Amino acid sequence: MKVLITRPLAQADDFAEKLRSAGFEPVYFPVIEICPIENNTALATAFENIQKYDWVVFTSVNAVETVLNLSAPSVFYVVKVAAIGPKTADALRKHGLEPDFIPDEYIGDAIMSGLGDVKGKWVLLPRAEIARQELPVAISKAGGIAHEIIVYRTLPAEVDTNGLTALKLGVDIITLTSTSTVENFVAICKQNGLDPLNLPNNPLFACIGPVTAQAAREAGIQNLIVANEYTTDGLIEEIVNRYTSKQVSR
């Protein structure tokens, strides 16, 4: 079974290898690329005044890599650090930072319980340009000061011709790992003469979590499954479970 990987190419190899190990054939078709903000004076100023923050909350691996490529991990020794999801936490650990809090659910809203009383406290949120607003709104409602700094942009990727050919011939599963992948996948399909809602072979869409699934549904996609654990490992597990159940029912 062919599984289309739409995440950025730099983040696709580990995912692809795990899919191969599970018996699937990965097909690379990145629809987004991550572009750090250059000359980020707002972030530099935050580094210089890091002691005024009580928390720094990382909501993605991309945020971790972008920020820690610009600063030494020791900058964050004077604040508490939260990570949304095990992959984000692992990315911090690779830089020598152990998160003070990881929520049970890997979504922004769930992190509030671990931040404690944030009234009058500053919370630094290094984020994507199109990040959802639930977390900063929740912090503000609790009396905290949510300081959002855009550290990277998500841009449409150049079309992979081999992946596009595979898509036109028909794949079995299409993985979607963020709202950006949903939006750009749909756009790229339309730009290349494909109807994203009526693709060859009627592929299953596998979404990494409920936020991505909601974006897919809003785009008109109905034939989808959602990972119980909002990680690529959870996504693979859901794909394996669905494939196994289909095989058993035959």
Side-chain angles (χ1 to χ4, degrees):
M1 295 184 72
K2 293 184 178 181
V3 181
L4 200 75
I5 300 175
T6 57
R7 65 186 341 208
L9 196 58
Q11 301 172 3
D13 283 343
D14 181 62
F15 190 24
E17 186 55 40
K18 290 178 178 178
L19 282 167
R20 288 191 193 96
S21 297
F24 299 94
E25 179 185 345
V27 177
Y28 291 95
F29 190 63
V31 298
I32 60 172
E33 59 180 62
I34 305 302
C35 298
I37 302 297
E38 296 183 0
N39 302 316
N40 198 331
T41 55
L43 187 60
T45 300
F47 292 158
E48 293 171 1
N49 297 281
I50 197 68
Q51 69 281 350
K52 82 175 183 180
Y53 299 98
D54 281 85
W55 284 94
V56 179
V57 180
F58 290 96
T59 56
S60 70
V61 171
N62 292 324
V64 172
E65 298 301 337
T66 301
V67 169
L68 290 175
N69 280 338
L70 298 173
S71 69
S74 57
V75 168
F76 300 99
Y77 289 172
V78 297
V79 296
K80 292 181 180 179
V81 177
I84 295 187
K87 297 295 184 183
T88 305
D90 286 344
L92 285 169
R93 292 183 184 112
K94 288 177 182 177
H95 289 277
L97 283 173
E98 180 62 34
D100 294 284
F101 175 64
I102 307 169
D104 292 332
E105 288 188 275
Y106 311 140
I107 51 177
D109 304 349
I111 207 166
M112 285 303 297
S113 62
L115 299 184
D117 183 6
V118 297
K119 188 174 182 179
K121 297 178 180 178
W122 284 74
V123 181
L124 179 61
L125 302 172
R127 319 189 80 199
E129 185 177 36
I130 56 173
R132 298 170 68 232
Q133 289 300 301
E134 281 79 357
L135 181 56
V137 167
I139 291 170
S140 297
K141 285 184 177 179
I145 302 98
H147 185 195
E148 293 183 87
I149 296 180
I150 297 170
V151 297
Y152 68 91
R153 293 187 174 96
T154 303
L155 300 177
E158 185 175 339
V159 176
D160 183 292
T161 54
N162 291 330
L164 182 61
T165 298
L167 187 61
K168 288 181 176 180
L169 291 173
V171 297
D172 299 285
I173 299 170
I174 296 170
T175 59
L176 300 171
T177 53
S178 67
T179 56
S180 296
T181 60
V182 174
E183 293 165 1
N184 286 297
F185 175 78
V186 168
I188 287 173
C189 282
K190 292 178 178 178
Q191 290 163 8
N192 289 276
L194 289 169
D195 180 355
L197 308 184
N198 187 29
L199 291 168
N201 202 38
N202 189 32
L204 181 71
F205 287 83
C207 300
I208 201 167
V211 174
T212 302
Q214 181 59 32
R217 292 188 185 98
E218 289 174 358
I221 296 169
Q222 298 297 326
N223 184 29
L224 57 81
I225 57 173
V226 186
N228 288 320
E229 180 183 293
Y230 312 151
T231 64
T232 51
D233 289 343
L235 192 56
I236 292 171
E237 181 180 358
E238 188 65 28
I239 291 171
V240 170
N241 289 341
R242 176 59 63 97
Y243 177 66
T244 302
S245 65
K246 281 188 174 182
Q247 291 294 95
V248 171
S249 64
R250 288 178 180 175

